[in-house]
PDB file of all heavy atoms in Angstrom:
ATOM      1  N   ALA A  60    -163.580  65.705  92.503  1.00 98.00           N
ATOM      2  CA  ALA A  60    -163.464  66.936  93.298  1.00 98.00           C
ATOM      3  C   ALA A  60    -163.116  68.161  92.469  1.00 98.00           C
ATOM      4  O   ALA A  60    -163.525  69.270  92.811  1.00 98.00           O
ATOM      5  CB  ALA A  60    -162.438  66.742  94.414  1.00 98.00           C
ATOM      6  N   SER A  61    -162.391  67.986  91.376  1.00 96.00           N
ATOM      7  CA  SER A  61    -161.998  69.153  90.589  1.00 96.00           C
ATOM      8  C   SER A  61    -163.218  69.906  90.045  1.00 96.00           C
ATOM      9  O   SER A  61    -163.152  71.123  89.848  1.00 96.00           O
ATOM     10  CB  SER A  61    -161.071  68.756  89.448  1.00 96.00           C
ATOM     11  OG  SER A  61    -161.734  67.897  88.543  1.00 96.00           O
ATOM     12  N   CYS A  62    -164.321  69.221  89.839  1.00 95.00           N
ATOM     13  CA  CYS A  62    -165.548  69.885  89.377  1.00 95.00           C
ATOM     14  C   CYS A  62    -166.583  70.036  90.490  1.00 95.00           C
ATOM     15  O   CYS A  62    -167.209  71.079  90.608  1.00 95.00           O
ATOM     16  CB  CYS A  62    -166.175  69.112  88.215  1.00 95.00           C
ATOM     17  SG  CYS A  62    -165.193  69.170  86.699  1.00 95.00           S
ATOM     18  N   HIS A  63    -166.762  68.981  91.291  1.00 96.00           N
ATOM     19  CA  HIS A  63    -167.822  68.991  92.301  1.00 96.00           C
ATOM     20  C   HIS A  63    -167.358  69.493  93.660  1.00 96.00           C
ATOM     21  O   HIS A  63    -168.157  69.539  94.600  1.00 96.00           O
ATOM     22  CB  HIS A  63    -168.437  67.598  92.424  1.00 96.00           C
ATOM     23  CG  HIS A  63    -169.156  67.175  91.173  1.00 96.00           C
ATOM     24  ND1 HIS A  63    -170.365  67.704  90.789  1.00 96.00           N
ATOM     25  CD2 HIS A  63    -168.807  66.290  90.208  1.00 96.00           C
ATOM     26  CE1 HIS A  63    -170.736  67.158  89.649  1.00 96.00           C
ATOM     27  NE2 HIS A  63    -169.806  66.305  89.261  1.00 96.00           N
ATOM     28  N   GLY A  64    -166.089  69.889  93.765  1.00 97.00           N
ATOM     29  CA  GLY A  64    -165.561  70.468  94.993  1.00 97.00           C
ATOM     30  C   GLY A  64    -165.031  69.421  95.953  1.00 97.00           C
ATOM     31  O   GLY A  64    -165.660  68.384  96.144  1.00 97.00           O
ATOM     32  N   ALA A  65    -163.869  69.711  96.551  1.00 97.00           N
ATOM     33  CA  ALA A  65    -163.271  68.789  97.521  1.00 97.00           C
ATOM     34  C   ALA A  65    -164.209  68.546  98.695  1.00 97.00           C
ATOM     35  O   ALA A  65    -164.206  67.473  99.286  1.00 97.00           O
ATOM     36  CB  ALA A  65    -161.934  69.336  98.005  1.00 97.00           C
ATOM     37  N   ASP A  66    -165.047  69.533  99.007  1.00 97.00           N
ATOM     38  CA  ASP A  66    -165.993  69.429 100.122  1.00 97.00           C
ATOM     39  C   ASP A  66    -167.398  69.035  99.658  1.00 97.00           C
ATOM     40  O   ASP A  66    -168.354  69.127 100.417  1.00 97.00           O
ATOM     41  CB  ASP A  66    -166.036  70.753 100.879  1.00 97.00           C
ATOM     42  CG  ASP A  66    -166.403  71.935  99.981  1.00 97.00           C
ATOM     43  OD1 ASP A  66    -166.669  71.739  98.766  1.00 97.00           O
ATOM     44  OD2 ASP A  66    -166.420  73.071 100.483  1.00 97.00           O
ATOM     45  N   LEU A  67    -167.519  68.610  98.397  1.00 97.00           N
ATOM     46  CA  LEU A  67    -168.788  68.226  97.769  1.00 97.00           C
ATOM     47  C   LEU A  67    -169.761  69.395  97.622  1.00 97.00           C
ATOM     48  O   LEU A  67    -170.938  69.198  97.359  1.00 97.00           O
ATOM     49  CB  LEU A  67    -169.481  67.070  98.530  1.00 97.00           C
ATOM     50  CG  LEU A  67    -168.839  65.713  98.387  1.00 97.00           C
ATOM     51  CD1 LEU A  67    -167.853  65.468  99.506  1.00 97.00           C
ATOM     52  CD2 LEU A  67    -169.894  64.643  98.404  1.00 97.00           C
ATOM     53  N   LYS A  68    -169.267  70.622  97.756  1.00 97.00           N
ATOM     54  CA  LYS A  68    -170.131  71.801  97.682  1.00 97.00           C
ATOM     55  C   LYS A  68    -170.057  72.499  96.331  1.00 97.00           C
ATOM     56  O   LYS A  68    -170.525  73.620  96.184  1.00 97.00           O
ATOM     57  CB  LYS A  68    -169.778  72.767  98.813  1.00 97.00           C
ATOM     58  CG  LYS A  68    -170.113  72.196 100.182  1.00 97.00           C
ATOM     59  CD  LYS A  68    -169.797  73.158 101.289  1.00 97.00           C
ATOM     60  CE  LYS A  68    -170.142  72.540 102.640  1.00 97.00           C
ATOM     61  NZ  LYS A  68    -169.747  73.421 103.746  1.00 97.00           N
ATOM     62  N   GLY A  69    -169.479  71.821  95.351  1.00 94.00           N
ATOM     63  CA  GLY A  69    -169.433  72.370  94.013  1.00 94.00           C
ATOM     64  C   GLY A  69    -168.259  73.309  93.801  1.00 94.00           C
ATOM     65  O   GLY A  69    -167.493  73.595  94.711  1.00 94.00           O
ATOM     66  N   SER A  70    -168.122  73.756  92.555  1.00 95.00           N
ATOM     67  CA  SER A  70    -167.087  74.706  92.175  1.00 95.00           C
ATOM     68  C   SER A  70    -167.614  75.503  90.994  1.00 95.00           C
ATOM     69  O   SER A  70    -168.771  75.341  90.607  1.00 95.00           O
ATOM     70  CB  SER A  70    -165.802  73.962  91.787  1.00 95.00           C
ATOM     71  OG  SER A  70    -165.939  73.375  90.506  1.00 95.00           O
ATOM     72  N   ASP A  71    -166.742  76.294  90.386  1.00 94.00           N
ATOM     73  CA  ASP A  71    -167.181  77.032  89.205  1.00 94.00           C
ATOM     74  C   ASP A  71    -167.274  76.120  87.979  1.00 94.00           C
ATOM     75  O   ASP A  71    -167.720  76.537  86.922  1.00 94.00           O
ATOM     76  CB  ASP A  71    -166.259  78.215  88.931  1.00 94.00           C
ATOM     77  CG  ASP A  71    -164.813  77.807  88.663  1.00 94.00           C
ATOM     78  OD1 ASP A  71    -164.445  76.643  88.933  1.00 94.00           O
ATOM     79  OD2 ASP A  71    -164.047  78.662  88.184  1.00 94.00           O
ATOM     80  N   LYS A  72    -166.897  74.837  88.134  1.00 94.00           N
ATOM     81  CA  LYS A  72    -166.957  73.871  87.032  1.00 94.00           C
ATOM     82  C   LYS A  72    -168.088  72.863  87.161  1.00 94.00           C
ATOM     83  O   LYS A  72    -168.410  72.171  86.197  1.00 94.00           O
ATOM     84  CB  LYS A  72    -165.647  73.091  86.947  1.00 94.00           C
ATOM     85  CG  LYS A  72    -164.450  73.935  86.625  1.00 94.00           C
ATOM     86  CD  LYS A  72    -163.220  73.064  86.604  1.00 94.00           C
ATOM     87  CE  LYS A  72    -161.961  73.896  86.584  1.00 94.00           C
ATOM     88  NZ  LYS A  72    -160.789  73.069  86.799  1.00 94.00           N
ATOM     89  N   GLY A  73    -168.648  72.713  88.363  1.00 93.00           N
ATOM     90  CA  GLY A  73    -169.672  71.687  88.539  1.00 93.00           C
ATOM     91  C   GLY A  73    -170.508  71.900  89.778  1.00 93.00           C
ATOM     92  O   GLY A  73    -170.113  72.614  90.699  1.00 93.00           O
ATOM     93  N   PRO A  74    -171.676  71.270  89.823  1.00 94.00           N
ATOM     94  CA  PRO A  74    -172.629  71.472  90.918  1.00 94.00           C
ATOM     95  C   PRO A  74    -172.238  70.753  92.207  1.00 94.00           C
ATOM     96  O   PRO A  74    -171.423  69.832  92.198  1.00 94.00           O
ATOM     97  CB  PRO A  74    -173.927  70.895  90.358  1.00 94.00           C
ATOM     98  CG  PRO A  74    -173.474  69.839  89.409  1.00 94.00           C
ATOM     99  CD  PRO A  74    -172.205  70.363  88.797  1.00 94.00           C
TER     100      PRO A  74
END
Side-chain angles (χ1 to χ4, degrees):
S61 63
C62 292
H63 294 287
D66 57 2
L67 288 93
K68 293 181 180 176
S70 75
D71 61 346
K72 296 179 192 170

